[in-house]
Amino acid sequence: MKDFIFDVSTRILFGRDQMKNLASEIKKYGSRVLLSYGGGSIKRSGLYDEIIKILEENNIFYKELSGIEPNPRVESAREGVKIIRENDLDFILAVGGGSVIDLSKLVAGAVYLDCDPWDIVIKKAKIERALPIGTILTLSATGSEMDRGGVITNPETTQKLGFGSEYTLPKFSILNPELTYTVNAKHTAAGIADIMSHTMENYFTLGDGAYMQNRLAEGILKTCIHYGPIAMKEPENYEARANIMWASSWAINGLLSTGKATGWSVHAMEHELSAFYDITHGIGLAILTPRFLNHILNDDTVDMIRDFGINVFGIKASEDKFNDAKKAIAQLHIFFEDDMNIPMTLGEVGIDDKKLEAMAEAAARHAGGSIRGVVELKKEDVLEIYKASL
Ligand code: NZQ
Ligand code: ZN
């Protein structure tokens, strides 16, 4: 196991009855709030009214940044920075899914820099300090509620890129599973696929001796496989929504990657699908993952993939370990397709073969020439994986 520092100080307020703590949590950090949210789901659910009431009752000044898009655009960050500067705000309350939280992190850092927010994403500028952020999570998926990173889209350059800073880790996150009851089937499934993908990106590594981390990863995967279908059938099943929500935070907050060299290969390939076609992140991951595993199956990786099948899906070990590994990959595909109702080809989400070459080139370029995960993926490998997913 490699050396590591693990430091995730986000205070988690989990459960049905945590809004009573919202005002006191905010007041630890500020008194003039930017309330950021998406396209209106929080208004339909009544959450917006509840928050406004709390802010007003507690004399907390606020301004709003609304309409943050899924696959959030850098333009919204520019707007957020402007609102903060004009109103001298000192805290960001991000209410929504990963898109709202990610965008808010960029705003929090950009406000202290004399540059365009996009410069941070393309690493021309570095976040040195940030406004404190609190989140109220409404969709279990990205883990942005308990990690440092964000992913931002620039439609002008057809790029979707990640950024991160120690300063953008949320100070607190309110996780009420009931707030996810209204998430529709498509985004519930996409969220579960995203949680599983984060877990697998951390899990599929070789020779690092991180035994404990891998058993924890298997536990998170089993949690998703057990509760995912329940949440799909019974959107208001608290136990299912609660387990999935807690899994989302721990899949990507750094615990599973401690002591490991992880490559995030599938995410690198998916971000190009989202950048070029604006598809839902988790759906893209579900489509690519079984094809990625098939592509990297070789003498070095066969035991790793077979163990995944045995420990996560309960596949019975046979003499033929390649066959066992293939069974594991097939089980994952079937889970996404049958239990999660995810369209499992690129064609079904409106992607044909026209831009595969350009996306493969961009995926390799953005990773610095090739994607260096458990198996190195050159542009040609990415292209093959895209083609196998058509
Ligand atoms: O905008 P509103 O109206 O709120 O609707 C959203 C949006 O349309 C809706 N929604 C959210 N909560 C809801 C709800 N609808 C009904 N009831 C609720 N309670 O769901 C839609 C999708 O929301 P979004 O925030 O885009 O989804 P998600 O949380 O999956 O975030 C996806 C983004 O996060 C990035 C992805 O690339 C993508 O841009 N990621 C961020 C990561 C991170 N910060 O660490 C890591 C991930 O790998 C990922 O890349
Ligand atoms: Zn993801």
Side-chain angles (χ1 to χ4, degrees):
M1 213 190 292
K2 293 175 186 301
D3 294 0
F4 63 86
I5 295 173
F6 180 67
D7 175 14
V8 184
S9 56
T10 303
R11 182 172 161 89
I12 299 294
L13 296 98
F14 193 100
R16 294 183 171 98
D17 193 24
Q18 297 292 352
M19 289 298 271
K20 63 176 187 285
N21 296 311
L22 178 63
S24 59
E25 286 297 324
I26 292 174
K27 283 179 177 174
K28 286 182 191 169
Y29 305 100
S31 57
R32 297 176 67 80
V33 170
L34 179 73
L35 171 63
S36 58
Y37 57 95
S41 70
I42 70 161
K43 290 201 168 160
R44 289 189 293 280
S45 68
L47 178 60
Y48 173 85
D49 289 340
E50 192 183 351
I51 293 167
I52 296 299
K53 190 161 174 270
I54 292 170
L55 295 178
E56 288 179 350
E57 279 176 2
N58 287 278
N59 294 318
I60 297 173
F61 178 85
Y62 67 91
K63 287 282 172 183
E64 299 181 25
L65 172 65
S66 62
I68 298 171
E69 320 76 5
N71 296 328
R73 316 280 164 90
V74 66
E75 191 51 44
S76 291
R78 294 178 184 131
E79 195 187 331
V81 169
K82 195 162 164 265
I83 298 171
I84 289 174
R85 287 185 179 151
E86 282 173 2
N87 296 282
D88 203 13
L89 307 180
D90 56 15
F91 185 83
I92 303 180
L93 180 63
V95 186
S99 294
V100 170
I101 302 173
D102 285 6
L103 198 282
S104 302
K105 290 176 180 173
L106 184 60
V107 172
V111 83
Y112 287 118
L113 290 168
D114 189 18
C115 67
D116 186 62
W118 187 246
D119 288 347
I120 294 171
V121 183
I122 57 172
K123 300 187 173 42
K124 261 175 77 180
K126 193 165 176 243
I127 296 177
E128 303 285 2
R129 58 193 283 225
L131 279 187
I133 303 172
T135 87
I136 302 176
L137 185 66
T138 65
L139 195 168
S140 307
T142 66
S144 194
E145 67 277 10
M146 204 181 178
D147 76 14
R148 292 161 168 77
V151 189
I152 306 295
T153 295
N154 186 343
E156 285 159 30
T157 59
T158 326
Q159 280 174 306
K160 183 179 184 193
L161 299 172
F163 74 99
S165 158
E166 62 184 286
Y167 303 105
T168 52
L169 182 70
K171 299 290 182 200
F172 70 84
S173 285
I174 293 183
L175 310 188
N176 177 359
E178 287 182 345
L179 294 178
T180 64
Y181 286 176
T182 51
V183 177
N184 65 23
K186 176 187 162 182
H187 283 107
T188 297
I192 288 163
D194 194 21
I195 298 167
M196 290 176 70
S197 179
H198 298 159
T199 311
M200 290 186 279
E201 302 275 28
N202 289 320
Y203 178 70
F204 288 125
T205 63
L206 286 173
D208 45 35
Y211 182 91
M212 186 197 87
Q213 292 86 320
N214 284 354
R215 303 294 81 75
L216 291 170
E218 286 160 358
I220 291 178
L221 291 170
K222 287 172 87 156
T223 300
C224 292
I225 290 164
H226 177 72
Y227 284 110
I230 299 174
M232 292 293 282
K233 284 195 202 85
E234 303 166 32
E236 303 200 2
N237 184 309
Y238 185 85
E239 186 177 312
R241 293 291 197 180
N243 276 278
I244 292 165
M245 190 170 237
W246 200 212
S248 101
S249 304
W250 284 92
I252 194 177
N253 71 1
L255 175 71
L256 300 183
S257 58
T258 48
K260 292 184 144 209
T262 56
W264 290 77
S265 313
V266 181
H267 273 66
M269 292 188 283
E270 196 293 316
H271 284 163
E272 300 309 328
L273 304 183
S274 297
F276 280 70
Y277 291 93
D278 201 18
I279 67 164
T280 300
H281 173 63
I283 305 289
L285 295 170
I287 295 170
L288 293 175
T289 304
R291 279 70 183 221
F292 161 73
L293 289 172
N294 264 320
H295 187 85
I296 66 160
L297 178 58
N298 61 28
D299 285 337
D300 294 331
T301 60
V302 62
D303 290 328
M304 174 190 86
I305 299 174
R306 182 189 194 222
D307 283 352
F308 160 71
I310 294 167
N311 296 340
V312 175
F313 282 109
I315 285 170
K316 232 173 146 300
S318 77
E319 297 288 291
D320 185 345
K321 54 187 187 176
F322 273 89
N323 197 38
D324 293 346
K326 282 183 189 154
K327 268 192 197 161
I329 298 169
Q331 284 274 357
L332 182 66
H333 190 121
I334 290 166
F335 173 75
F336 286 144
E337 187 157 44
D338 293 354
D339 294 333
M340 294 289 100
N341 253 328
I342 293 178
M344 284 299 285
T345 61
L346 293 180
E348 287 167 85
V349 295
I351 301 178
D352 58 21
D353 60 359
K354 290 203 181 65
K355 294 181 185 166
L356 299 189
E357 181 91 28
M359 292 193 296
E361 190 278 320
R365 179 165 37 85
H366 287 140
S370 65
I371 302 170
R372 280 169 292 272
V374 58
V375 171
E376 184 181 358
L377 301 179
K378 299 204 167 69
K379 177 195 152 186
E380 296 71 34
D381 298 293
V382 177
L383 187 58
E384 258 185 55
I385 293 167
Y386 285 154
K387 282 185 180 164
S389 308
L390 276 172

